[in-house]
Amino acid sequence: MAEKNRRIHSETVRRLIAVVCVAVVFALGLFAASPVMHKQLHAGSHAPGGDSCAVAVFAGGVDLTSPIMAGPPAVEWREVRYALTHDVFVHQPRYRLLPGRGPPVG
C-alpha cells in the first residue's frame, strides 16, 4: 500500500511541475507579445544598456551564431600503427589426432 501511495505522490508532483513549467512559458510568451504588459511588469526599472529580463531574453529567441556558444572539442589526431610481420607462426596442436579424426574402428 505504501508503494502505491508513493507512486501516486510522485506522479502528482511530476504533473504539478509540468503545469508550472507550462504556465511560466505561457506567461513569458504573453509578456513578450505585449509591450504594454511588459512595461507594467517592470514599472520603470529599465537599465540604460538595454533590457535583459527573462521576458526580453525569451522574446529574443535562440541565436545560433552567438560567440557564447562553445565550439566542438579539440581532438588530437593519433595514427594507430600496427606491427606488421611476414612470418607465419604455426603452433603444435595439443592432440596428435584431432577430435573426430580418431583411428579407424576395426
Side-chain angles (χ1 to χ4, degrees):
M1 192 69 174
E3 179 67 30
K4 184 178 179 183
N5 288 339
R6 191 176 313 139
R7 190 174 43 205
I8 291 172
H9 177 69
S10 67
E11 187 67 28
T12 304
V13 170
R14 272 192 231 150
R15 288 179 185 219
L16 182 65
I17 290 172
V19 167
V20 168
C21 290
V22 167
V24 167
V25 170
F26 180 75
L28 285 173
L30 188 65
F31 286 121
S34 173
V36 174
M37 290 179 71
H38 187 199
K39 286 181 183 177
Q40 289 176 353
L41 180 69
H42 284 291
S45 64
H46 293 288
D51 198 6
S52 63
C53 69
V55 174
V57 172
F58 186 81
V62 178
D63 184 15
L64 296 178
T65 60
S66 172
I68 298 173
M69 291 184 60
V75 177
E76 180 181 330
W77 178 259
R78 293 184 194 174
E79 185 177 336
V80 179
R81 295 183 181 222
Y82 297 101
L84 297 176
T85 180
H86 297 289
D87 298 332
V88 177
F89 299 104
V90 180
H91 296 286
Q92 281 286 358
R94 292 187 344 199
Y95 306 103
R96 183 169 168 227
L97 298 173
L98 296 175
R101 307 254 194 297
V105 179

